[in-house]
Each structure stands twice: as C-alpha cells, then as structure tokens.
Amino acid sequence: METIKGYVEHIIYQNETNGYTVLVLTAESEEITCVGMLRGVDEGESLEVRGGFTEHALYGRQFRAESFRVTPPEDVIGMERYLGSGAIRGVGEALAARIIKMFGKDTFRIMEEEPERLAEVKGISERMAREIGVQAEEKRELRDAVLFLQKYGISGTFAARIHETYGMGLYGILRENPYKLAEDISGIGFKKADEIAAKAGIRIDSEYRMQSGLFYTLKEAAGEGHSYLPEEKLLEKAAELLGVQEEVLVGQLENLAIEKKIILKKEEGKKLAYVSSFYYAEMRCARMLIDLNRAMEAEGSITPAEENARLGKIRALEQMQKIELDELQRQAILESLRHGVLILSGGPGTGKTTTINVMIRYFEQEGLDILLAAPTGRAAKRMTEATGYEAKTIHRMLELNGSISEEAGGRGAKFEKNEENPLEADVVIVDEMSMVDLFLLQALLRAVMQGTRLILMGDKDQLPSVGPGQVLHDLIKSNAFPTIILKKIFRQAGESDIVVNAHRIQEGKSIALDNKSKDFFFLERNDVNVIYKHIVQLVQDMLPRYVQASPADIQVLTPMKKGSLGVEALNRALQQYLNPPEPGKKEHAAGSGNVFRVGDKVMQIKNNYQLEWEIVSEYNIVIDKGIGIFNGDMGIIREINDFASALVVEFDEHRRVTYPFTGLEELELAYAVTIHKSQGSEYPAVVMPVLSGPRLLLNRNLLYTAVTRARNCVTILGSSRTLQEMIDNSGENRRYTSLDKRICEVAAI
C-alpha cells in the first residue's frame, strides 16, 4: 500500500450518488490520475491518498485509492489555491487572495472558529462571512464523520447518507442505538447494523437489538410475500437470528406494538404480527374496494326489457367481430355494467381477451373513457396488441414521481395520481392481476374515483406477486365481488398442446411426452452435462429457426437459483456460448461475481423508483424520458464505459438506463431466469430443465406458470419422473395474507 500527497488540480468525473471520482492530483510537480471513492473532495484541496498504481488498458497509469483524508494545505500558496478553486461558494481567486493576504496561515482556523472576522476583508459582508463559516464547518463535519464511520466498517457512500440523515446526532446514535440505521438508511439492513453495534460494544441482549431483530424478521417475511407472521413463527425466526431465547422476545414484541411499529391482532385464538404499514394497507384496500363496488344499479332497477336490450347489444358486437361468446363471457360483460368492481379469471385459451375486447367495444359505444394497464412493460405491450388500445404499465398510468412512499414502509412508490388527482376514466381495466402486490393495489385504488368501473383480470392459478400479498387470490376468496372464472377452452386454443397441457397440469393430470406435438416437446435426459449441451443447441440454433426469433428471445426458465441447473450456473454457461469474450468487446467484472459484457441479456432484480431512463433517436436526440425500472424488467447491455465507471442497458421500448459500476447489484444475467421472475412475460419459446431439486420448488404451480409463458413452443429437458412429481405436488409455499378477511370485516360494517 503506497501513500501519495498532493493537491486536487482538476476533477474529471464525480458520481454524486456513490462518490466514485476520477481526478488529477498534483504531487511533487507530477500530475497523477487518481480514481476511487473520493466523496466530498473539491478542486484545490490537499489530499493524502493510500492505495496503489494500476495500468488501465485504455487510460494508462492510474492510482487507485483505497482510502483518503483531506489535509490542511501546508503553505499559504496551497491555502489560496484551495479557496480560489470554487470549493467555497462565492469565493473566487481574487477574493481568496485578499483573505490569505489578511489572515495568512491562520485563514482556516478563522473560517471555522471566528468566521465573523472575514468581514474585515474588502468585499465580504457580515452575512457572507457567516455563510462561508457555515460551509467550512459543514465540510469539516462531513470529513470527520466519514473518518469516524470508517472505524465501524461503513463505506464512504453510506457515511455520507448517515451524515445527511442525522448530522452531528450520528455520534449519539452509534453509541446508543446503531440499530436505528437499519430503519432509516436504505441499504443498511439488520445484519450490517448488528456488526456496527458489536464494534460499538452494544450488548447481545440489548432491548434495541431484540426489537430491531424482531422488526427485521417481519420485514424479511414481506420479501417472501407475507403481510404478517403468526406470533409463534415470528418469535421462532427472530430467536434464531438473534441467538436468544424466545421468551425474552415476548415483552419486546409488546413494546414494538406500544410504539406502533407493529400491529398485534388476535384472530381465532392466535396472535398475528404485522408491520403497521402492511396492516393499514390491507385495511385501506378493503375500504376502497368496498366503496368502489357499491352497486351502480339498485337491485331490481333494471327491467327485463333493459336487460334484453343489453344482451342484444352484446350479440350485435359478437356479429360485428365474427365471434360467439359463451354464457359466462356474456355474464362477465353484464356484471361489469352492474358493479363497480369485477374480477375476471381464467387460464390460457379460455377467452379472457375476447371477453375484454367485446367489453371495451360496449363501453366505447356508451361513450365511456377507458384506461388499460398491466404491471409490467411486456404485459402492457401484449395487452395493447390483443385489444388494439394503448395499455400502459400501472406505474406509468399512475405517473410515478420517483419518491418512496413512507406509507409502504419504504417498499412502495409515490405517484402523481391519487385521491386529490384521480385518473380521468369511466372504466379502468387491469390485466395480470396475479402480479400486483399489496402496495401497488393500494396506489391504484387511491387513484380510482368512486363511480369508476374497475375490472381486474388475471389467472388465479399463476404464481403470486414477487412483493407482499396475494391480491388476486384474496379478492376471489373474499366472495365480496362479482367473479367470473372462465374454464372452457375454445377450439382454436385447443389446437395448441401448450394450452391443453397447461390445463392438464393444473388439474393434476399426466401429459403426453411422445413428442407428436408441434409446440410441446420433452427430451428425456438424466445427465447434467448432456442437458447443458442440448440447452445451448436449442437456444443458439434450433429454436430461433423453429419459431423465427433471435436467440435473445428464447428464454430458459428454471425453478431454482442455486444448484447445477439453477439460474446462476446456467447463466455462466450460456453466456460463454451465446456471448463469449472477444477482442475489443468490453466487459466488467462486478463484485457479485458476475462478468457483464456488451451484448449480455440482463434483468433488473429489484424495484428502483429513482432510476432514470431515456429513449434516444438514431441521431442520439432524446425523444422521451422517465423514471422507474422494476423487478423483472429485461434488457441488453449496449455500452460499457470504463472512464465513467458505468454501463448502459437498453430495456423494452428502447429505454436506456445508465448504471454506475457500484450499482450493479441490481442487475443479473438473464439468459436463464427463475420461473418466479418470468411472471407477466411471454416468450416465443421456453426451455425448461427439470431434473431434481427441493420439493418446495418442484410443484404444479411453478410448472404451470413456466408452460404458460411460452407463445409458440415449450421444450422440457430432464427426468419424466421428476416432471410427474411436479404435476402431483399441489403444495405451494403458504403466504400469510389477510386482505380477504379485511374485506369481509369492512363489508360487514
């Protein structure tokens, strides 16, 4: 480890989010390019930097900084250089020279301890003197805070966030309750806070620690889709995490309830523990849904003649579109006229889209304004293609503003559309409702005015949302809203073995594996290496020709993340074949162990409401821009810029996003993805390896979801025995949700 000293001649690049900086350091008359996390450094400052020299392929010799500290300039020339650099707002070169002339080597002490004396300098008012003093103090405080927090293993990025949040109060928090960091600072979870607390000497049985551990356990459960945990399950999990007895946690659970951080609710003799925001979200959703569903027409207000007139209009639309609806489909349209909320569910080929198309035309004839939406960009695009009407993502329809909703416990986004600024529509139709989580439902309902018809579509047998809740399941279970479940497979759809087999799987029936199909194939292969060989052949060559698509459009789906046929192993192997390293093709090794390469297929793995995207023309002119990239969004790496320490990903609809190298933990290779992550997407062809794995992951629901993601072709490789075990295994991971109960409670009032 080397140490160099000098002053900052010029800052070439600085990322304000993470502090990554490229600067020129003048050290003993030599100009050195210095790179690293140098947050808060200004031009003109004197630095002492520790690290080592590296040779960059493009930019040559660089000093990579591991740590740094700002040092006071050693002479009046250095002081003048720093002040004249613009580091202090309002102080230019001429004013800097006058300040130095008056106070000499004592200048910095005067600025920090006696700033009022700066008013003695010509051109500095008393007010300006105070402002300069405040700036000098802030810079010193930030540097001191960064140095202090480094002792606890906190990086410069988090140190700046902590200082911004608490100011000088951070020292007291570190001494008394470091666990507060886990609540207030995004990116610092309980485990990191626990490490900091251990270094700060906080006892293992500290009340703060136990409460934080309980709260963390509840929030982690939300990541698995739960909106609450039974008390006994929460205590068991938290005790294991904290290394304490369950008994000592009972009192702390009550304390959290007193502080209103959690809600404890007794139902059927059991205590249920909710993060407060989750309980209130369920209650709000229940109230808003019941209010929306107040009958638009009083019972018996429609005469038989009027009912027949409506049926006549529906049949006229059928003739116009040269289709014939069945009774359930017609009933769905009639129910949408009578009620504020309608749920329409059904598997592939059961006519959901046909029903919605007739419904849209009916509403259009009545002169009603209609909005269509879906949870993901891909699902919205499919909806647009199927209906001929523009469909937006729910986030875009609600006008995401890039802020985080406190109501959602930091998990949800803020939108411009809400109670005060509702959607201007008479009918709102939302597809792929199985993907909508509790907080997105809450945001949607807040923006829908009473008197608006809300039609919720989806397949009840699909996997539930990645986020907390199982909204579609709970809405149907509540029995509070008119619900039409389409089951009949229409003739045209019945010609597809994808559709037929999907329904057989869902019914727990065996499927034909004789490969006499045109769109559903099974290859019995029981060796992992052989499976890999065939997957590469299928994705690279055979399927693109068969379904007339590019290799990037063919999607490998697997139940698991880990293991020989898990996402991680599959992606490493597929990347080597589909996008191998080449001279001149840029790549970047990320801290996650992934190597990202120009041309790689990648996926965003968490909701990021602040990420900015833009769409540019072929002449590189920005023609549209917005914010928000979401869990499951897929794209291609178009550019890697070592100088800017960033890469550019192009998502659907040509949306381009720049990721700093330090933000790549949100990206994963996506040649293969888990079946969970594929929800709401449709691919020309799906390849699925099925050999072995945990029983929890090898179930009917997962297989059904994977099969229904394919538009033209499904190919399964592996063991027919394992495949049958998946069909036989109807068990699902239970989600603890209670939206259905809250709806029933509200409806009973």
Short mmCIF file of all heavy atoms in Angstrom, two decimals, residues 175-218:
data_model
loop_
_atom_site.label_atom_id
_atom_site.label_comp_id
_atom_site.label_asym_id
_atom_site.label_seq_id
_atom_site.Cartn_x
_atom_site.Cartn_y
_atom_site.Cartn_z
N ARG A 175 -23.40 5.36 19.47
CA ARG A 175 -23.09 4.94 20.86
C ARG A 175 -24.26 4.20 21.50
O ARG A 175 -24.09 3.21 22.19
CB ARG A 175 -22.73 6.16 21.72
CG ARG A 175 -21.30 6.64 21.61
CD ARG A 175 -20.95 7.59 22.73
NE ARG A 175 -21.88 8.72 22.83
CZ ARG A 175 -21.76 9.86 22.13
NH1 ARG A 175 -20.73 10.03 21.32
NH2 ARG A 175 -22.65 10.83 22.27
N GLU A 176 -25.49 4.71 21.26
CA GLU A 176 -26.66 4.20 21.99
C GLU A 176 -27.45 3.14 21.23
O GLU A 176 -27.79 2.10 21.79
CB GLU A 176 -27.59 5.37 22.34
CG GLU A 176 -26.95 6.38 23.31
CD GLU A 176 -27.75 7.64 23.41
OE1 GLU A 176 -28.97 7.60 23.12
OE2 GLU A 176 -27.17 8.70 23.76
N ASN A 177 -27.78 3.43 19.95
CA ASN A 177 -28.67 2.53 19.22
C ASN A 177 -28.32 2.48 17.74
O ASN A 177 -29.00 3.05 16.89
CB ASN A 177 -30.12 2.98 19.40
CG ASN A 177 -31.10 2.08 18.66
OD1 ASN A 177 -30.76 0.96 18.30
ND2 ASN A 177 -32.32 2.55 18.43
N PRO A 178 -27.25 1.76 17.37
CA PRO A 178 -26.87 1.66 15.95
C PRO A 178 -27.95 0.99 15.09
O PRO A 178 -27.94 1.12 13.87
CB PRO A 178 -25.60 0.79 15.98
CG PRO A 178 -25.12 0.83 17.39
CD PRO A 178 -26.32 1.00 18.23
N TYR A 179 -28.88 0.28 15.75
CA TYR A 179 -29.93 -0.42 15.00
C TYR A 179 -30.89 0.54 14.32
O TYR A 179 -31.63 0.16 13.41
CB TYR A 179 -30.68 -1.39 15.92
CG TYR A 179 -29.77 -2.47 16.44
CD1 TYR A 179 -29.19 -2.38 17.71
CD2 TYR A 179 -29.43 -3.55 15.64
CE1 TYR A 179 -28.33 -3.35 18.17
CE2 TYR A 179 -28.56 -4.53 16.09
CZ TYR A 179 -28.01 -4.42 17.35
OH TYR A 179 -27.13 -5.38 17.79
N LYS A 180 -30.87 1.79 14.74
CA LYS A 180 -31.71 2.80 14.09
C LYS A 180 -31.28 2.98 12.63
O LYS A 180 -32.09 3.35 11.79
CB LYS A 180 -31.61 4.12 14.87
CG LYS A 180 -32.70 5.12 14.51
CD LYS A 180 -32.85 6.19 15.55
CE LYS A 180 -33.80 7.28 15.17
NZ LYS A 180 -34.91 7.00 14.32
N LEU A 181 -30.01 2.69 12.34
CA LEU A 181 -29.52 2.81 10.97
C LEU A 181 -30.30 1.89 10.04
O LEU A 181 -30.59 2.23 8.89
CB LEU A 181 -28.02 2.44 10.90
CG LEU A 181 -27.03 3.31 11.70
CD1 LEU A 181 -25.63 2.74 11.57
CD2 LEU A 181 -27.06 4.75 11.22
N ALA A 182 -30.64 0.70 10.53
CA ALA A 182 -31.36 -0.28 9.71
C ALA A 182 -32.75 0.23 9.34
O ALA A 182 -33.30 -0.11 8.30
CB ALA A 182 -31.46 -1.62 10.44
N GLU A 183 -33.35 1.04 10.22
CA GLU A 183 -34.68 1.59 9.95
C GLU A 183 -34.65 2.78 9.01
O GLU A 183 -35.53 2.95 8.18
CB GLU A 183 -35.34 2.04 11.28
CG GLU A 183 -35.65 0.92 12.25
CD GLU A 183 -36.23 1.46 13.55
OE1 GLU A 183 -36.92 2.51 13.51
OE2 GLU A 183 -35.97 0.86 14.61
N ASP A 184 -33.60 3.61 9.16
CA ASP A 184 -33.60 4.91 8.49
C ASP A 184 -32.77 4.99 7.22
O ASP A 184 -33.00 5.86 6.39
CB ASP A 184 -33.10 5.99 9.47
CG ASP A 184 -33.98 6.11 10.71
OD1 ASP A 184 -35.15 5.69 10.65
OD2 ASP A 184 -33.49 6.60 11.75
N ILE A 185 -31.76 4.13 7.09
CA ILE A 185 -30.82 4.26 5.98
C ILE A 185 -31.02 3.10 5.00
O ILE A 185 -30.76 1.94 5.34
CB ILE A 185 -29.34 4.29 6.46
CG1 ILE A 185 -29.14 5.31 7.58
CG2 ILE A 185 -28.41 4.56 5.27
CD1 ILE A 185 -29.39 6.74 7.19
N SER A 186 -31.49 3.42 3.80
CA SER A 186 -31.69 2.39 2.78
C SER A 186 -30.36 1.72 2.45
O SER A 186 -29.35 2.38 2.21
CB SER A 186 -32.28 3.04 1.53
OG SER A 186 -32.38 2.11 0.50
N GLY A 187 -30.35 0.41 2.44
CA GLY A 187 -29.13 -0.34 2.12
C GLY A 187 -28.40 -0.87 3.34
O GLY A 187 -27.51 -1.71 3.23
N ILE A 188 -28.75 -0.36 4.54
CA ILE A 188 -28.18 -0.90 5.78
C ILE A 188 -29.26 -1.74 6.46
O ILE A 188 -30.21 -1.21 7.01
CB ILE A 188 -27.68 0.21 6.73
CG1 ILE A 188 -26.49 0.94 6.08
CG2 ILE A 188 -27.27 -0.39 8.08
CD1 ILE A 188 -25.82 1.96 6.97
N GLY A 189 -29.11 -3.02 6.37
CA GLY A 189 -30.08 -3.92 7.00
C GLY A 189 -29.68 -4.25 8.42
O GLY A 189 -28.71 -3.73 8.97
N PHE A 190 -30.46 -5.14 9.03
CA PHE A 190 -30.19 -5.50 10.42
C PHE A 190 -28.79 -6.09 10.60
O PHE A 190 -28.09 -5.77 11.56
CB PHE A 190 -31.23 -6.51 10.91
CG PHE A 190 -30.89 -7.11 12.25
CD1 PHE A 190 -31.14 -6.41 13.42
CD2 PHE A 190 -30.27 -8.34 12.35
CE1 PHE A 190 -30.80 -6.93 14.65
CE2 PHE A 190 -29.93 -8.89 13.58
CZ PHE A 190 -30.21 -8.18 14.74
N LYS A 191 -28.38 -6.94 9.67
CA LYS A 191 -27.10 -7.64 9.84
C LYS A 191 -25.92 -6.67 9.85
O LYS A 191 -24.98 -6.82 10.64
CB LYS A 191 -26.94 -8.71 8.76
CG LYS A 191 -27.91 -9.87 8.96
CD LYS A 191 -27.81 -10.93 7.92
CE LYS A 191 -28.83 -12.05 8.22
NZ LYS A 191 -28.82 -13.09 7.18
N LYS A 192 -25.95 -5.68 8.98
CA LYS A 192 -24.89 -4.67 8.97
C LYS A 192 -24.94 -3.84 10.25
O LYS A 192 -23.91 -3.57 10.87
CB LYS A 192 -25.05 -3.75 7.73
CG LYS A 192 -23.94 -2.71 7.59
CD LYS A 192 -22.59 -3.34 7.35
CE LYS A 192 -21.48 -2.31 7.22
NZ LYS A 192 -20.15 -2.94 7.10
N ALA A 193 -26.17 -3.45 10.65
CA ALA A 193 -26.32 -2.68 11.89
C ALA A 193 -25.82 -3.48 13.09
O ALA A 193 -25.23 -2.93 14.02
CB ALA A 193 -27.79 -2.28 12.09
N ASP A 194 -26.05 -4.80 13.05
CA ASP A 194 -25.60 -5.68 14.13
C ASP A 194 -24.07 -5.72 14.22
O ASP A 194 -23.49 -5.73 15.29
CB ASP A 194 -26.17 -7.09 13.93
CG ASP A 194 -26.33 -7.85 15.25
OD1 ASP A 194 -26.56 -7.21 16.30
OD2 ASP A 194 -26.26 -9.09 15.23
N GLU A 195 -23.41 -5.75 13.05
CA GLU A 195 -21.93 -5.69 13.01
C GLU A 195 -21.43 -4.38 13.62
O GLU A 195 -20.48 -4.38 14.40
CB GLU A 195 -21.44 -5.80 11.57
CG GLU A 195 -21.55 -7.16 10.93
CD GLU A 195 -21.18 -7.11 9.44
OE1 GLU A 195 -20.49 -6.14 9.03
OE2 GLU A 195 -21.60 -8.01 8.70
N ILE A 196 -22.07 -3.28 13.23
CA ILE A 196 -21.67 -1.97 13.75
C ILE A 196 -21.88 -1.92 15.27
O ILE A 196 -21.02 -1.43 16.01
CB ILE A 196 -22.47 -0.85 13.05
CG1 ILE A 196 -22.14 -0.82 11.55
CG2 ILE A 196 -22.20 0.51 13.68
CD1 ILE A 196 -23.14 0.00 10.72
N ALA A 197 -23.03 -2.45 15.72
CA ALA A 197 -23.34 -2.45 17.15
C ALA A 197 -22.32 -3.25 17.94
O ALA A 197 -21.92 -2.86 19.05
CB ALA A 197 -24.75 -3.02 17.37
N ALA A 198 -21.88 -4.39 17.38
CA ALA A 198 -20.87 -5.21 18.05
C ALA A 198 -19.57 -4.43 18.23
O ALA A 198 -18.93 -4.46 19.29
CB ALA A 198 -20.62 -6.50 17.27
N LYS A 199 -19.16 -3.68 17.19
CA LYS A 199 -17.95 -2.86 17.26
C LYS A 199 -18.12 -1.70 18.24
O LYS A 199 -17.15 -1.23 18.84
CB LYS A 199 -17.59 -2.32 15.88
CG LYS A 199 -17.08 -3.39 14.93
CD LYS A 199 -16.84 -2.84 13.53
CE LYS A 199 -16.36 -3.96 12.59
NZ LYS A 199 -16.27 -3.51 11.20
N ALA A 200 -19.38 -1.25 18.39
CA ALA A 200 -19.65 -0.15 19.33
C ALA A 200 -19.84 -0.64 20.76
O ALA A 200 -20.07 0.16 21.68
CB ALA A 200 -20.90 0.61 18.87
N GLY A 201 -19.78 -1.96 20.95
CA GLY A 201 -19.87 -2.53 22.31
C GLY A 201 -21.29 -2.68 22.83
O GLY A 201 -21.50 -2.78 24.03
N ILE A 202 -22.29 -2.73 21.94
CA ILE A 202 -23.69 -2.92 22.35
C ILE A 202 -23.89 -4.38 22.77
O ILE A 202 -23.47 -5.31 22.05
CB ILE A 202 -24.67 -2.56 21.20
CG1 ILE A 202 -24.44 -1.11 20.72
CG2 ILE A 202 -26.12 -2.77 21.64
CD1 ILE A 202 -24.75 -0.04 21.67
N ARG A 203 -24.56 -4.61 23.92
CA ARG A 203 -24.75 -5.96 24.45
C ARG A 203 -25.68 -6.78 23.56
O ARG A 203 -26.58 -6.24 22.90
CB ARG A 203 -25.34 -5.89 25.86
CG ARG A 203 -24.34 -5.39 26.93
CD ARG A 203 -25.11 -4.98 28.18
NE ARG A 203 -26.00 -6.07 28.67
CZ ARG A 203 -25.69 -6.92 29.61
NH1 ARG A 203 -24.51 -6.83 30.18
NH2 ARG A 203 -26.54 -7.86 30.01
N ILE A 204 -25.47 -8.12 23.57
CA ILE A 204 -26.26 -9.04 22.76
C ILE A 204 -27.73 -9.05 23.20
O ILE A 204 -28.63 -9.30 22.42
CB ILE A 204 -25.65 -10.47 22.79
CG1 ILE A 204 -26.29 -11.32 21.67
CG2 ILE A 204 -25.83 -11.13 24.17
CD1 ILE A 204 -25.56 -12.63 21.43
N ASP A 205 -27.98 -8.76 24.49
CA ASP A 205 -29.36 -8.76 24.99
C ASP A 205 -29.94 -7.34 25.10
O ASP A 205 -30.91 -7.11 25.82
CB ASP A 205 -29.43 -9.46 26.36
CG ASP A 205 -28.55 -8.77 27.41
OD1 ASP A 205 -27.77 -7.85 27.05
OD2 ASP A 205 -28.63 -9.16 28.59
N SER A 206 -29.34 -6.40 24.37
CA SER A 206 -29.85 -5.03 24.35
C SER A 206 -31.29 -5.02 23.83
O SER A 206 -31.64 -5.71 22.88
CB SER A 206 -28.97 -4.15 23.45
OG SER A 206 -29.67 -3.03 22.97
N GLU A 207 -32.14 -4.18 24.47
CA GLU A 207 -33.53 -4.07 24.02
C GLU A 207 -33.59 -3.58 22.57
O GLU A 207 -34.42 -4.04 21.78
CB GLU A 207 -34.29 -3.11 24.93
CG GLU A 207 -34.62 -3.68 26.30
CD GLU A 207 -35.60 -2.82 27.07
OE1 GLU A 207 -36.10 -1.83 26.51
OE2 GLU A 207 -35.90 -3.18 28.23
N TYR A 208 -32.71 -2.63 22.26
CA TYR A 208 -32.68 -2.11 20.89
C TYR A 208 -32.42 -3.24 19.90
O TYR A 208 -33.02 -3.32 18.84
CB TYR A 208 -31.59 -1.04 20.73
CG TYR A 208 -31.86 0.25 21.47
CD1 TYR A 208 -30.88 0.82 22.29
CD2 TYR A 208 -33.07 0.93 21.31
CE1 TYR A 208 -31.11 2.01 22.95
CE2 TYR A 208 -33.31 2.14 21.97
CZ TYR A 208 -32.32 2.67 22.79
OH TYR A 208 -32.55 3.85 23.45
N ARG A 209 -31.46 -4.11 20.26
CA ARG A 209 -31.09 -5.21 19.37
C ARG A 209 -32.27 -6.17 19.17
O ARG A 209 -32.56 -6.58 18.04
CB ARG A 209 -29.88 -5.97 19.93
CG ARG A 209 -29.41 -7.10 19.04
CD ARG A 209 -28.10 -7.73 19.52
NE ARG A 209 -27.62 -8.72 18.57
CZ ARG A 209 -27.88 -9.99 18.62
NH1 ARG A 209 -28.60 -10.46 19.62
NH2 ARG A 209 -27.45 -10.85 17.69
N MET A 210 -32.91 -6.54 20.25
CA MET A 210 -34.01 -7.50 20.15
C MET A 210 -35.19 -6.93 19.37
O MET A 210 -35.78 -7.61 18.53
CB MET A 210 -34.44 -7.96 21.55
CG MET A 210 -33.40 -8.88 22.20
SD MET A 210 -33.96 -9.68 23.72
CE MET A 210 -33.83 -8.32 24.88
N GLN A 211 -35.51 -5.66 19.61
CA GLN A 211 -36.62 -5.04 18.87
C GLN A 211 -36.28 -4.92 17.40
O GLN A 211 -37.13 -5.18 16.53
CB GLN A 211 -36.93 -3.66 19.46
CG GLN A 211 -37.63 -3.73 20.82
CD GLN A 211 -37.96 -2.36 21.38
OE1 GLN A 211 -38.08 -1.39 20.64
NE2 GLN A 211 -38.10 -2.27 22.68
N SER A 212 -35.04 -4.54 17.11
CA SER A 212 -34.62 -4.40 15.73
C SER A 212 -34.66 -5.76 15.02
O SER A 212 -35.08 -5.85 13.86
CB SER A 212 -33.21 -3.81 15.65
OG SER A 212 -32.83 -3.60 14.31
N GLY A 213 -34.23 -6.82 15.73
CA GLY A 213 -34.24 -8.16 15.16
C GLY A 213 -35.66 -8.64 14.85
O GLY A 213 -35.91 -9.26 13.81
N LEU A 214 -36.59 -8.36 15.74
CA LEU A 214 -37.99 -8.72 15.52
C LEU A 214 -38.56 -7.98 14.30
O LEU A 214 -39.22 -8.57 13.44
CB LEU A 214 -38.83 -8.40 16.76
CG LEU A 214 -38.72 -9.37 17.94
CD1 LEU A 214 -39.20 -8.71 19.22
CD2 LEU A 214 -39.52 -10.65 17.66
N PHE A 215 -38.29 -6.69 14.25
CA PHE A 215 -38.80 -5.86 13.16
C PHE A 215 -38.19 -6.30 11.82
O PHE A 215 -38.90 -6.41 10.81
CB PHE A 215 -38.49 -4.38 13.44
CG PHE A 215 -39.29 -3.41 12.62
CD1 PHE A 215 -40.67 -3.34 12.75
CD2 PHE A 215 -38.68 -2.56 11.71
CE1 PHE A 215 -41.42 -2.45 11.99
CE2 PHE A 215 -39.42 -1.67 10.95
CZ PHE A 215 -40.78 -1.62 11.09
N TYR A 216 -36.90 -6.60 11.84
CA TYR A 216 -36.20 -7.06 10.65
C TYR A 216 -36.80 -8.38 10.16
O TYR A 216 -37.02 -8.57 8.96
CB TYR A 216 -34.72 -7.24 10.96
CG TYR A 216 -33.92 -7.95 9.88
CD1 TYR A 216 -33.49 -7.28 8.75
CD2 TYR A 216 -33.59 -9.30 10.02
CE1 TYR A 216 -32.75 -7.93 7.77
CE2 TYR A 216 -32.85 -9.96 9.05
CZ TYR A 216 -32.43 -9.28 7.93
OH TYR A 216 -31.70 -9.93 6.96
N THR A 217 -37.09 -9.29 11.07
CA THR A 217 -37.66 -10.59 10.72
C THR A 217 -39.02 -10.42 10.03
O THR A 217 -39.32 -11.09 9.04
CB THR A 217 -37.81 -11.48 11.96
OG1 THR A 217 -36.52 -11.62 12.60
CG2 THR A 217 -38.34 -12.85 11.62
N LEU A 218 -39.83 -9.50 10.56
CA LEU A 218 -41.13 -9.22 9.93
C LEU A 218 -40.97 -8.64 8.53
O LEU A 218 -41.69 -9.01 7.60
CB LEU A 218 -41.94 -8.23 10.79
CG LEU A 218 -42.98 -8.81 11.75
CD1 LEU A 218 -43.75 -7.69 12.41
CD2 LEU A 218 -43.93 -9.77 11.05
#
